[in-house]
Amino acid sequence: DTEVTQTPKHLVMGMTNKKSLKCEQHMGHRAMYWYKQKAKKPPELMFVYSYEKLSINESVPSRFSPECPNSSLLNLHLHALQPEDSALYLCASSQVGLAGGEQFFGPGTRLTVL
Amino acid sequence: QKEVEQDPGPLSVPEGAIVSLNCTYSNSAFQYFMWYRQYSRKGPELLMYTYSSGNKEDGRFTAQVDKSSKYISLFIRDSQPSDSATYLCAMSADNFNKFYFGSGTKLNVKP
């Protein structure tokens, strides 16, 4: 099973709302990622978790708050977003370190901020 | 200079043609190379994964890595309209969990 699942598929929120995106994988991967993708652009890395600890934060604004409750789950908490944050948010997972290798993506959550 | 360069296209070919997609990179530490296919408004789908140099074949797809030239390729044989999508190359170095993406090449296979 090489599946990464994400919920919800679509999300519309106002600039004062608080919402969360969820991601789950059962491949035993210990690295999980959040990416942001704008139309006609490649995925842009936001955060990386290795062994449930935040290892990379690509200078993402604090209105995005990641959380990794266990080795299978990854959340992205959203608060006070701006319209320019509207994008496809992708979760991915892979092995860690020397076995880095293949990275699998979920289908994404399409976020619209009004 | 970007870490990974990829021609954005669009690339338009007739059905049945052989398609060649390419990326160049600057970081000689990259060891892991991937090709993704992404349909509009969907997540990227892993097509091919190669470690270090060499060729890898899977059905109609062949991935090649030439580390001496810092150049990777994806060939699609007998292209089909269903292959119409954006193709992204991605790569990573040992001991890092950071993947560098090309900008993507949009492919259109005409029936």
Side-chain angles (χ1 to χ4, degrees):
Chain A
D1 181 10
T2 57
E3 189 178 25
V4 177
T5 59
Q6 289 186 245
T7 55
K9 286 188 171 59
H10 302 277
L11 179 62
V12 179
M13 60 187 290
M15 292 167 58
T16 58
N17 291 157
K18 285 186 183 180
K19 296 286 185 184
S20 296
L21 309 185
K22 297 187 183 303
C23 173
E24 190 167 3
Q25 58 88 17
H26 295 287
M27 293 178 276
H29 290 165
R30 302 302 293 276
M32 296 186 76
Y33 311 74
W34 281 114
Y35 287 87
K36 173 183 176 180
Q37 187 176 29
K38 297 283 238 180
K40 301 186 181 183
K41 297 289 187 183
E44 178 186 339
L45 184 65
M46 300 174 71
F47 302 104
V48 181
Y49 273 82
S50 296
Y51 298 110
E52 294 88 70
K53 294 193 188 314
L54 184 65
S55 59
I56 297 177
N57 176 343
E58 292 286 279
S59 302
V60 179
S62 60
R63 58 186 184 268
F64 295 93
S65 175
E67 178 196 19
C68 191
N70 61 54
S71 60
S72 301
L73 293 174
L74 186 66
N75 298 322
L76 185 63
H77 303 297
L78 313 173
H79 175 52
L81 295 193
Q82 304 296 310
E84 60 263 30
D85 296 321
S86 298
L88 181 67
Y89 287 83
L90 294 162
C91 174
S93 71
S94 77
Q95 302 285 3
V96 175
L98 285 175
E102 300 155 292
Q103 183 182 63
F104 295 93
F105 281 87
T109 293
R110 184 154 299 279
L111 174 67
T112 302
V113 182
L114 301 176
Chain B
Q1 184 187 6
K2 286 184 184 177
E3 298 264 10
V4 182
E5 299 278 359
Q6 184 177 7
D7 186 336
L11 179 61
S12 188
V13 301
E15 184 176 353
I18 296 175
V19 176
S20 172
L21 304 167
N22 311 294
C23 289
T24 60
Y25 62 94
S26 56
N27 188 344
S28 57
F30 287 149
Q31 296 278 359
Y32 303 95
F33 304 92
M34 283 144 282
W35 285 96
Y36 290 90
R37 177 174 63 193
Q38 186 172 25
Y39 293 111
S40 181
R41 305 175 73 86
K42 303 287 188 186
E45 171 194 2
L46 182 64
L47 279 178
M48 300 289 283
Y49 159 70
T50 310
Y51 171 68
S52 195
S53 282
N55 294 357
K56 184 173 183 179
E57 189 172 322
D58 184 1
R60 297 184 295 112
F61 299 93
T62 300
Q64 289 186 350
V65 175
D66 181 349
K67 292 191 69 181
S68 61
S69 301
K70 298 191 181 71
Y71 187 89
I72 68 170
S73 300
L74 177 71
F75 298 95
I76 307 174
R77 289 183 297 282
D78 187 25
S79 55
Q80 303 295 309
S82 57
D83 295 327
S84 298
T86 295
Y87 289 79
L88 293 154
C89 64
M91 45 199 81
S92 176
D94 280 349
N95 273 336
F96 290 95
N97 276 106
K98 186 165 179 176
F99 291 78
Y100 295 84
F101 283 82
S103 56
T105 299
K106 187 172 173 63
L107 172 66
N108 180 32
V109 181
K110 298 174 291 184

